[in-house]
Amino acid sequence: MDRYAVIGHPVEHSRSPLIHQAFARQSGQTLEYGRVLAPLDDFAGTVARLREAGYHGCNVTVPFKLEAFHLAERLTARAQAAQAVNTLRFDPAGIHGDNTDGAGLVQDLRHNLKVVIAQQRVLLLGAGGAAQGVLHPLLAEAPQRLVIANRSLERAEALRQQSGAHNVQTATFAALQGETFDLVINATSAGLHGEHLPLPTGLFAPEAMAYDLMYGQETPFMAFARSQGARVADGLGMLVEQAAESFLFWRGVRPETAAIIARLRA
Ligand code: NDP
């Protein structure tokens, strides 16, 4: 049986096995998908052992996406642009790396939530691995402007320079005072620890969408956005959509996602 896994540290919380097994059933494919906890100092060794054991590929989660980028011998254009990899395929010719996070986010926004990004004012909060992965796919949707705001301005600035786009700016959270956006995406990990982002009021335009990449819990960002009258979505749809993109990369079929998103939500 073809075998896949998600590699992370920690990894026991991952819902990827459930999602990929559902995709396999739905598309009539037979595969096994597990969780692999890699030691923090031995991601490459863990991948090598999976290859030797005959695995076909893996998903990569925190904190190994950068290591996966360096380990891959070939990269898709979107992995190259993101400089991070969340999907590895073990081909006879070597390890092929992809990054499906950004495509997953855009698919969730556009198709599931019916959010238009083109010509809109977009605020991206955070400049870590997740922000890096979603920036280029967001820019490909041609927003009017995109501001990256991060606690560390230096990191936001590095991401802006890497994007090479003329309509990307950076800001500290404090400098957002007086600014208004149609789409605000929280790609920080502040919500993991229940921490508030020091965001000013008045940030959301009428009908604005606040999207938090976190899922499974109401974050302070979601609560703040609700209090400001914004529409709010969590990252569960992105999780399933990025998994569907990985499944496509491995198996050549893009599964239907709506039923699985609904099931996970229930
Ligand atoms: P990283 O550790 O790479 O980056 C963390 C980011 O959060 C940095 O920008 C950091 O700012 C910022 N941050 C952390 N704590 C605070 C705080 N208290 N106040 C302000 N900013 C803070 O994490 P990732 O980018 O990999 O992940 C970010 C989030 O996205 C996670 O919650 C993760 O679960 C989620 N995610 C969801 C996915 C999905 O499919 N739904 C896919 C991928 C990620 P600084 O640079 O200043 O330290």
Side-chain angles (χ1 to χ4, degrees), residues 13 61-63 65 86 101 104-105 125-134 149-153 155-156 173 186-198 211-215 234-243:
H13 65 283
T61 186
V62 176
K65 291 183 186 181
N86 76 338
D101 282 338
L105 171 66
L125 301 168
Q132 211 172 307
V134 302
N150 196 46
R151 187 172 55 179
S152 136
L153 188 59
R155 215 170 166 193
F173 295 127
N186 182 18
T188 76
S189 55
L192 273 177
H193 319 289
E195 287 167 348
H196 287 261
L197 297 170
Y211 191 102
D212 201 320
L213 263 59
M214 278 214 39
Y215 51 86
D234 71 6
L236 186 72
M238 172 179 169
L239 176 77
V240 176
E241 296 296 350
Q242 64 79 26

Tab-separated table of all heavy atoms in Angstrom, residues 13 61-63 65 86 101 104-105 125-134 149-153 155-156 173 186-198 211-215 234-243, ligand 1:
chain	number	residue	atom	x	y	z
A	13	HIS	N	-1.234	16.434	17.265
A	13	HIS	CA	-2.474	17.200	17.098
A	13	HIS	C	-2.929	17.223	15.632
A	13	HIS	O	-4.039	17.655	15.338
A	13	HIS	CB	-2.242	18.643	17.553
A	13	HIS	CG	-1.243	19.333	16.661
A	13	HIS	ND1	0.120	19.103	16.758
A	13	HIS	CD2	-1.405	20.179	15.624
A	13	HIS	CE1	0.744	19.801	15.836
A	13	HIS	NE2	-0.158	20.465	15.124
A	61	THR	N	5.291	19.896	8.716
A	61	THR	CA	4.712	20.980	9.499
A	61	THR	C	5.758	21.542	10.459
A	61	THR	O	6.944	21.206	10.368
A	61	THR	CB	3.397	20.507	10.176
A	61	THR	OG1	2.795	21.628	10.805
A	61	THR	CG2	3.620	19.400	11.188
A	62	VAL	N	5.307	22.447	11.319
A	62	VAL	CA	6.186	23.165	12.239
A	62	VAL	C	7.121	22.201	12.970
A	62	VAL	O	6.659	21.164	13.439
A	62	VAL	CB	5.309	23.916	13.278
A	62	VAL	CG1	6.161	24.604	14.341
A	62	VAL	CG2	4.429	24.931	12.576
A	63	PRO	N	8.406	22.435	13.101
A	63	PRO	CA	9.138	23.624	12.648
A	63	PRO	C	10.060	23.317	11.463
A	63	PRO	O	11.123	23.908	11.358
A	63	PRO	CB	9.980	23.943	13.879
A	63	PRO	CG	10.362	22.576	14.406
A	63	PRO	CD	9.230	21.629	14.020
A	65	LYS	N	9.584	23.404	7.927
A	65	LYS	CA	9.306	23.778	6.534
A	65	LYS	C	10.532	24.363	5.821
A	65	LYS	O	10.687	24.198	4.617
A	65	LYS	CB	8.127	24.753	6.470
A	65	LYS	CG	6.807	24.082	6.836
A	65	LYS	CD	5.630	25.026	6.705
A	65	LYS	CE	4.369	24.354	7.234
A	65	LYS	NZ	3.185	25.208	7.111
A	86	ASN	N	6.032	22.517	2.336
A	86	ASN	CA	5.168	21.762	3.252
A	86	ASN	C	4.768	20.400	2.679
A	86	ASN	O	4.030	19.661	3.320
A	86	ASN	CB	3.916	22.570	3.615
A	86	ASN	CG	2.900	22.598	2.496
A	86	ASN	OD1	3.222	22.387	1.335
A	86	ASN	ND2	1.648	22.854	2.841
A	101	ASP	N	0.448	25.832	0.981
A	101	ASP	CA	-0.252	26.667	1.965
A	101	ASP	C	-0.968	27.857	1.313
A	101	ASP	O	-2.130	28.128	1.601
A	101	ASP	CB	0.724	27.195	3.021
A	101	ASP	CG	1.074	26.141	4.069
A	101	ASP	OD1	0.284	25.187	4.244
A	101	ASP	OD2	2.130	26.275	4.710
A	104	GLY	N	-3.863	26.906	-0.794
A	104	GLY	CA	-4.962	26.494	0.081
A	104	GLY	C	-5.712	27.691	0.642
A	104	GLY	O	-6.948	27.698	0.680
A	105	LEU	N	-4.966	28.705	1.062
A	105	LEU	CA	-5.613	29.910	1.600
A	105	LEU	C	-6.453	30.596	0.527
A	105	LEU	O	-7.612	30.955	0.752
A	105	LEU	CB	-4.556	30.888	2.141
A	105	LEU	CG	-5.098	32.267	2.521
A	105	LEU	CD1	-6.043	32.177	3.711
A	105	LEU	CD2	-3.970	33.248	2.821
A	125	LEU	N	-0.925	40.034	8.662
A	125	LEU	CA	-0.309	40.161	9.985
A	125	LEU	C	0.635	38.985	10.184
A	125	LEU	O	0.218	37.829	10.077
A	125	LEU	CB	-1.392	40.143	11.070
A	125	LEU	CG	-2.452	41.245	10.961
A	125	LEU	CD1	-3.617	40.962	11.898
A	125	LEU	CD2	-1.850	42.609	11.257
A	126	GLY	N	1.906	39.267	10.448
A	126	GLY	CA	2.890	38.206	10.635
A	126	GLY	C	3.855	38.146	9.474
A	126	GLY	O	3.521	38.561	8.343
A	127	ALA	N	5.050	37.667	9.750
A	127	ALA	CA	6.074	37.546	8.706
A	127	ALA	C	6.879	36.273	8.897
A	127	ALA	O	8.025	36.181	8.495
A	127	ALA	CB	6.983	38.778	8.732
A	128	GLY	N	6.272	35.269	9.530
A	128	GLY	CA	6.936	33.988	9.753
A	128	GLY	C	6.723	33.049	8.577
A	128	GLY	O	6.389	33.475	7.460
A	129	GLY	N	6.894	31.759	8.832
A	129	GLY	CA	6.807	30.767	7.771
A	129	GLY	C	5.464	30.774	7.047
A	129	GLY	O	5.426	30.657	5.816
A	130	ALA	N	4.386	30.912	7.787
A	130	ALA	CA	3.063	30.867	7.153
A	130	ALA	C	2.861	32.092	6.261
A	130	ALA	O	2.379	31.974	5.126
A	130	ALA	CB	1.973	30.780	8.207
A	131	ALA	N	3.253	33.267	6.762
A	131	ALA	CA	3.120	34.496	5.971
A	131	ALA	C	3.941	34.380	4.683
A	131	ALA	O	3.489	34.756	3.587
A	131	ALA	CB	3.579	35.699	6.790
A	132	GLN	N	5.139	33.821	4.834
A	132	GLN	CA	6.035	33.604	3.683
A	132	GLN	C	5.352	32.719	2.626
A	132	GLN	O	5.459	32.965	1.439
A	132	GLN	CB	7.252	32.878	4.228
A	132	GLN	CG	8.538	33.141	3.559
A	132	GLN	CD	9.663	32.470	4.367
A	132	GLN	OE1	9.791	32.690	5.577
A	132	GLN	NE2	10.449	31.659	3.719
A	133	GLY	N	4.646	31.710	3.094
A	133	GLY	CA	3.991	30.768	2.177
A	133	GLY	C	2.793	31.347	1.455
A	133	GLY	O	2.495	30.966	0.323
A	134	VAL	N	2.095	32.281	2.102
A	134	VAL	CA	0.845	32.789	1.487
A	134	VAL	C	1.057	34.086	0.708
A	134	VAL	O	0.181	34.481	-0.076
A	134	VAL	CB	-0.280	32.986	2.545
A	134	VAL	CG1	-0.562	31.675	3.269
A	134	VAL	CG2	0.007	34.103	3.528
A	149	ALA	N	2.279	43.614	8.301
A	149	ALA	CA	2.557	44.182	9.627
A	149	ALA	C	3.061	43.081	10.528
A	149	ALA	O	2.478	42.000	10.585
A	149	ALA	CB	1.304	44.808	10.214
A	150	ASN	N	4.151	43.356	11.204
A	150	ASN	CA	4.740	42.333	12.074
A	150	ASN	C	5.332	42.994	13.308
A	150	ASN	O	5.699	44.163	13.283
A	150	ASN	CB	5.836	41.561	11.313
A	150	ASN	CG	6.211	40.269	12.008
A	150	ASN	OD1	5.330	39.513	12.420
A	150	ASN	ND2	7.499	40.007	12.161
A	151	ARG	N	5.376	42.195	14.392
A	151	ARG	CA	5.981	42.685	15.627
A	151	ARG	C	7.407	43.130	15.346
A	151	ARG	O	7.801	44.232	15.713
A	151	ARG	CB	5.949	41.542	16.649
A	151	ARG	CG	6.367	41.895	18.018
A	151	ARG	CD	6.094	40.728	18.947
A	151	ARG	NE	6.718	39.475	18.495
A	151	ARG	CZ	6.634	38.328	19.141
A	151	ARG	NH1	5.929	38.262	20.251
A	151	ARG	NH2	7.226	37.243	18.684
A	152	SER	N	8.160	42.272	14.655
A	152	SER	CA	9.501	42.674	14.259
A	152	SER	C	9.429	43.234	12.835
A	152	SER	O	9.164	42.503	11.877
A	152	SER	CB	10.446	41.464	14.334
A	152	SER	OG	11.281	41.423	13.198
A	153	LEU	N	9.631	44.543	12.731
A	153	LEU	CA	9.504	45.209	11.423
A	153	LEU	C	10.565	44.704	10.451
A	153	LEU	O	10.315	44.580	9.248
A	153	LEU	CB	9.605	46.727	11.605
A	153	LEU	CG	9.299	47.576	10.365
A	153	LEU	CD1	7.893	47.312	9.859
A	153	LEU	CD2	9.488	49.061	10.670
A	155	ARG	N	11.698	41.758	10.014
A	155	ARG	CA	11.278	40.513	9.371
A	155	ARG	C	10.239	40.806	8.289
A	155	ARG	O	10.266	40.208	7.211
A	155	ARG	CB	10.691	39.593	10.443
A	155	ARG	CG	10.972	38.150	10.209
A	155	ARG	CD	10.569	37.342	11.414
A	155	ARG	NE	10.528	35.936	11.089
A	155	ARG	CZ	9.974	35.009	11.856
A	155	ARG	NH1	9.415	35.353	13.002
A	155	ARG	NH2	9.979	33.745	11.492
A	156	ALA	N	9.356	41.768	8.562
A	156	ALA	CA	8.349	42.164	7.555
A	156	ALA	C	9.047	42.770	6.348
A	156	ALA	O	8.695	42.506	5.193
A	156	ALA	CB	7.370	43.165	8.164
A	173	PHE	N	2.506	47.338	14.099
A	173	PHE	CA	1.079	47.328	14.455
A	173	PHE	C	0.611	48.747	14.784
A	173	PHE	O	-0.482	49.162	14.390
A	173	PHE	CB	0.822	46.382	15.635
A	173	PHE	CG	1.100	44.928	15.302
A	173	PHE	CD1	1.951	44.168	16.092
A	173	PHE	CD2	0.511	44.326	14.206
A	173	PHE	CE1	2.215	42.832	15.791
A	173	PHE	CE2	0.769	42.990	13.892
A	173	PHE	CZ	1.625	42.244	14.685
A	186	ASN	N	-4.645	37.026	9.597
A	186	ASN	CA	-3.742	36.851	10.730
A	186	ASN	C	-2.896	35.594	10.530
A	186	ASN	O	-3.377	34.482	10.695
A	186	ASN	CB	-4.527	36.755	12.042
A	186	ASN	CG	-3.595	36.612	13.232
A	186	ASN	OD1	-2.397	36.915	13.136
A	186	ASN	ND2	-4.125	36.141	14.342
A	187	ALA	N	-1.645	35.816	10.169
A	187	ALA	CA	-0.706	34.698	10.001
A	187	ALA	C	0.335	34.717	11.115
A	187	ALA	O	1.426	34.183	10.948
A	187	ALA	CB	-0.033	34.776	8.634
A	188	THR	N	0.001	35.341	12.250
A	188	THR	CA	0.897	35.244	13.408
A	188	THR	C	0.498	34.013	14.215
A	188	THR	O	-0.589	33.462	14.032
A	188	THR	CB	0.806	36.474	14.347
A	188	THR	OG1	-0.399	36.390	15.113
A	188	THR	CG2	0.857	37.785	13.584
A	189	SER	N	1.369	33.623	15.129
A	189	SER	CA	1.033	32.506	16.008
A	189	SER	C	0.587	33.016	17.369
A	189	SER	O	0.514	32.239	18.326
A	189	SER	CB	2.229	31.563	16.130
A	189	SER	OG	3.368	32.278	16.560
A	190	ALA	N	0.275	34.325	17.464
A	190	ALA	CA	-0.111	34.913	18.756
A	190	ALA	C	-1.309	34.178	19.369
A	190	ALA	O	-1.364	33.968	20.580
A	190	ALA	CB	-0.429	36.399	18.586
A	191	GLY	N	-2.263	33.775	18.526
A	191	GLY	CA	-3.474	33.121	19.014
A	191	GLY	C	-3.209	31.791	19.690
A	191	GLY	O	-3.995	31.349	20.546
A	192	LEU	N	-2.109	31.146	19.322
A	192	LEU	CA	-1.747	29.848	19.928
A	192	LEU	C	-1.647	29.967	21.441
A	192	LEU	O	-1.945	29.028	22.172
A	192	LEU	CB	-0.364	29.402	19.413
A	192	LEU	CG	-0.270	28.617	18.119
A	192	LEU	CD1	1.184	28.355	17.797
A	192	LEU	CD2	-1.036	27.302	18.251
A	193	HIS	N	-1.200	31.127	21.885
A	193	HIS	CA	-1.001	31.355	23.318
A	193	HIS	C	-2.045	32.317	23.877
A	193	HIS	O	-1.865	32.884	24.947
A	193	HIS	CB	0.411	31.910	23.561
A	193	HIS	CG	1.455	31.242	22.719
A	193	HIS	ND1	1.857	29.949	22.958
A	193	HIS	CD2	2.114	31.653	21.608
A	193	HIS	CE1	2.757	29.609	22.035
A	193	HIS	NE2	2.921	30.623	21.201
A	194	GLY	N	-3.116	32.546	23.099
A	194	GLY	CA	-4.186	33.430	23.552
A	194	GLY	C	-3.763	34.881	23.647
A	194	GLY	O	-4.373	35.672	24.365
A	195	GLU	N	-2.695	35.235	22.891
A	195	GLU	CA	-2.180	36.612	23.015
A	195	GLU	C	-2.893	37.572	22.060
A	195	GLU	O	-3.194	37.219	20.921
A	195	GLU	CB	-0.670	36.627	22.741
A	195	GLU	CG	0.109	36.004	23.892
A	195	GLU	CD	1.573	35.719	23.532
A	195	GLU	OE1	1.929	35.779	22.357
A	195	GLU	OE2	2.328	35.414	24.465
A	196	HIS	N	-3.116	38.790	22.551
A	196	HIS	CA	-3.762	39.833	21.749
A	196	HIS	C	-2.734	40.525	20.865
A	196	HIS	O	-1.607	40.735	21.298
A	196	HIS	CB	-4.368	40.915	22.662
A	196	HIS	CG	-5.590	40.458	23.365
A	196	HIS	ND1	-6.853	40.759	22.940
A	196	HIS	CD2	-5.729	39.678	24.465
A	196	HIS	CE1	-7.729	40.195	23.748
A	196	HIS	NE2	-7.085	39.532	24.682
A	197	LEU	N	-3.147	40.892	19.663
A	197	LEU	CA	-2.294	41.735	18.822
A	197	LEU	C	-2.712	43.181	19.098
A	197	LEU	O	-3.911	43.461	19.182
A	197	LEU	CB	-2.510	41.394	17.346
A	197	LEU	CG	-2.135	39.961	16.939
A	197	LEU	CD1	-2.617	39.668	15.522
A	197	LEU	CD2	-0.628	39.765	17.042
A	198	PRO	N	-1.749	44.078	19.218
A	198	PRO	CA	-2.111	45.470	19.536
A	198	PRO	C	-2.615	46.221	18.299
A	198	PRO	O	-1.953	47.108	17.771
A	198	PRO	CB	-0.794	46.053	20.062
A	198	PRO	CG	0.271	45.235	19.399
A	198	PRO	CD	-0.290	43.870	19.153
A	211	TYR	N	-9.530	36.938	8.531
A	211	TYR	CA	-9.231	35.512	8.368
A	211	TYR	C	-8.066	35.157	9.278
A	211	TYR	O	-6.995	35.749	9.186
A	211	TYR	CB	-8.870	35.234	6.907
A	211	TYR	CG	-8.791	33.766	6.567
A	211	TYR	CD1	-9.832	33.147	5.884
A	211	TYR	CD2	-7.685	32.998	6.911
A	211	TYR	CE1	-9.775	31.793	5.573
A	211	TYR	CE2	-7.622	31.643	6.598
A	211	TYR	CZ	-8.672	31.053	5.924
A	211	TYR	OH	-8.623	29.707	5.611
A	212	ASP	N	-8.279	34.205	10.168
A	212	ASP	CA	-7.204	33.759	11.044
A	212	ASP	C	-6.727	32.389	10.576
A	212	ASP	O	-7.539	31.475	10.414
A	212	ASP	CB	-7.715	33.674	12.495
A	212	ASP	CG	-6.571	33.715	13.506
A	212	ASP	OD1	-5.522	33.078	13.244
A	212	ASP	OD2	-6.717	34.396	14.528
A	213	LEU	N	-5.447	32.228	10.357
A	213	LEU	CA	-4.927	30.929	9.917
A	213	LEU	C	-5.104	29.854	10.985
A	213	LEU	O	-5.090	28.664	10.694
A	213	LEU	CB	-3.432	31.042	9.564
A	213	LEU	CG	-3.107	31.234	8.075
A	213	LEU	CD1	-3.752	32.486	7.521
A	213	LEU	CD2	-1.610	31.265	7.851
A	214	MET	N	-5.278	30.281	12.223
A	214	MET	CA	-5.504	29.292	13.295
A	214	MET	C	-6.900	28.716	13.183
A	214	MET	O	-7.795	29.362	12.677
A	214	MET	CB	-5.323	29.967	14.653
A	214	MET	CG	-3.877	30.043	15.032
A	214	MET	SD	-3.607	29.877	16.786
A	214	MET	CE	-4.741	28.659	17.323
A	215	TYR	N	-7.070	27.505	13.701
A	215	TYR	CA	-8.389	26.894	13.690
A	215	TYR	C	-8.565	26.095	14.974
A	215	TYR	O	-7.609	25.856	15.704
A	215	TYR	CB	-8.566	25.990	12.469
A	215	TYR	CG	-7.445	25.004	12.293
A	215	TYR	CD1	-7.464	23.776	12.953
A	215	TYR	CD2	-6.331	25.316	11.528
A	215	TYR	CE1	-6.406	22.878	12.836
A	215	TYR	CE2	-5.276	24.428	11.406
A	215	TYR	CZ	-5.318	23.218	12.065
A	215	TYR	OH	-4.264	22.344	11.959
A	234	ASP	N	-11.954	31.122	10.256
A	234	ASP	CA	-10.728	30.519	10.782
A	234	ASP	C	-10.015	29.737	9.675
A	234	ASP	O	-10.478	29.702	8.536
A	234	ASP	CB	-11.017	29.645	12.011
A	234	ASP	CG	-11.756	28.362	11.653
A	234	ASP	OD1	-11.950	28.075	10.456
A	234	ASP	OD2	-12.141	27.637	12.586
A	235	GLY	N	-8.891	29.103	10.026
A	235	GLY	CA	-8.042	28.481	9.005
A	235	GLY	C	-8.362	27.028	8.693
A	235	GLY	O	-7.564	26.365	8.019
A	236	LEU	N	-9.528	26.551	9.140
A	236	LEU	CA	-9.845	25.139	8.887
A	236	LEU	C	-9.999	24.860	7.382
A	236	LEU	O	-9.537	23.832	6.878
A	236	LEU	CB	-11.122	24.741	9.632
A	236	LEU	CG	-11.448	23.262	9.552
A	236	LEU	CD1	-10.485	22.443	10.402
A	236	LEU	CD2	-12.884	22.991	10.000
A	237	GLY	N	-10.642	25.789	6.692
A	237	GLY	CA	-10.815	25.620	5.242
A	237	GLY	C	-9.469	25.593	4.536
A	237	GLY	O	-9.237	24.776	3.628
A	238	MET	N	-8.548	26.451	4.977
A	238	MET	CA	-7.197	26.459	4.390
A	238	MET	C	-6.497	25.129	4.638
A	238	MET	O	-5.822	24.594	3.746
A	238	MET	CB	-6.384	27.603	5.001
A	238	MET	CG	-4.925	27.596	4.619
A	238	MET	SD	-4.058	28.985	5.361
A	238	MET	CE	-2.357	28.545	5.020
A	239	LEU	N	-6.667	24.604	5.849
A	239	LEU	CA	-6.033	23.327	6.192
A	239	LEU	C	-6.466	22.232	5.211
A	239	LEU	O	-5.640	21.470	4.701
A	239	LEU	CB	-6.418	22.938	7.623
A	239	LEU	CG	-5.906	21.579	8.081
A	239	LEU	CD1	-4.428	21.668	8.440
A	239	LEU	CD2	-6.710	21.051	9.264
A	240	VAL	N	-7.764	22.173	4.957
A	240	VAL	CA	-8.276	21.124	4.064
A	240	VAL	C	-7.872	21.407	2.619
A	240	VAL	O	-7.487	20.501	1.876
A	240	VAL	CB	-9.817	20.996	4.208
A	240	VAL	CG1	-10.363	19.981	3.218
A	240	VAL	CG2	-10.180	20.603	5.637
A	241	GLU	N	-7.906	22.667	2.219
A	241	GLU	CA	-7.561	23.017	0.829
A	241	GLU	C	-6.075	22.795	0.549
A	241	GLU	O	-5.714	22.342	-0.542
A	241	GLU	CB	-7.949	24.463	0.522
A	241	GLU	CG	-9.447	24.760	0.592
A	241	GLU	CD	-10.283	24.017	-0.447
A	241	GLU	OE1	-9.704	23.401	-1.364
A	241	GLU	OE2	-11.524	24.037	-0.329
A	242	GLN	N	-5.213	23.110	1.526
A	242	GLN	CA	-3.781	22.857	1.271
A	242	GLN	C	-3.525	21.361	1.206
A	242	GLN	O	-2.675	20.893	0.454
A	242	GLN	CB	-2.863	23.597	2.267
A	242	GLN	CG	-2.959	23.215	3.743
A	242	GLN	CD	-2.236	21.933	4.100
A	242	GLN	OE1	-1.286	21.543	3.422
A	242	GLN	NE2	-2.693	21.243	5.126
A	243	ALA	N	-4.290	20.588	1.989
A	243	ALA	CA	-4.152	19.125	1.939
A	243	ALA	C	-4.601	18.605	0.569
A	243	ALA	O	-3.973	17.700	-0.001
A	243	ALA	CB	-4.983	18.490	3.053
B	1	NDP	P1	6.320	31.234	12.835
B	1	NDP	O1	6.837	30.849	14.167
B	1	NDP	O2	7.167	31.031	11.630
B	1	NDP	O3	5.954	32.817	12.865
B	1	NDP	C1	5.233	33.357	13.928
B	1	NDP	C2	4.750	34.763	13.563
B	1	NDP	O4	3.869	35.200	14.608
B	1	NDP	C3	5.855	35.815	13.478
B	1	NDP	O5	5.493	36.781	12.528
B	1	NDP	C4	5.865	36.413	14.895
B	1	NDP	O6	6.353	37.732	14.957
B	1	NDP	C5	4.384	36.415	15.185
B	1	NDP	N1	4.041	36.409	16.614
B	1	NDP	C6	4.151	35.368	17.482
B	1	NDP	N2	3.698	35.725	18.697
B	1	NDP	C7	3.297	37.029	18.595
B	1	NDP	C8	2.731	37.954	19.499
B	1	NDP	N3	2.502	37.637	20.761
B	1	NDP	N4	2.421	39.180	19.047
B	1	NDP	C9	2.657	39.509	17.763
B	1	NDP	N5	3.191	38.695	16.846
B	1	NDP	C10	3.506	37.457	17.269
B	1	NDP	O7	4.898	30.506	12.705
B	1	NDP	P2	4.138	30.136	11.341
B	1	NDP	O8	4.226	31.333	10.455
B	1	NDP	O9	4.610	28.843	10.820
B	1	NDP	O10	2.625	29.905	11.837
B	1	NDP	C11	1.763	30.991	12.148
B	1	NDP	C12	0.357	30.469	12.423
B	1	NDP	O11	-0.253	29.988	11.240
B	1	NDP	C13	0.308	29.302	13.409
B	1	NDP	O12	-0.724	29.574	14.335
B	1	NDP	C14	-0.023	28.107	12.561
B	1	NDP	O13	-0.742	27.130	13.278
B	1	NDP	C15	-0.882	28.743	11.482
B	1	NDP	N6	-0.897	27.960	10.218
B	1	NDP	C16	-2.102	27.487	9.755
B	1	NDP	C17	-2.180	26.782	8.565
B	1	NDP	C18	-3.505	26.285	8.069
B	1	NDP	O14	-3.531	25.438	7.173
B	1	NDP	N7	-4.626	26.783	8.566
B	1	NDP	C19	-0.974	26.498	7.753
B	1	NDP	C20	0.236	27.070	8.302
B	1	NDP	C21	0.252	27.754	9.498
B	1	NDP	P3	7.947	38.036	15.113
B	1	NDP	O15	8.532	37.864	13.735
B	1	NDP	O16	7.994	39.440	15.574
B	1	NDP	O17	8.464	37.044	16.099
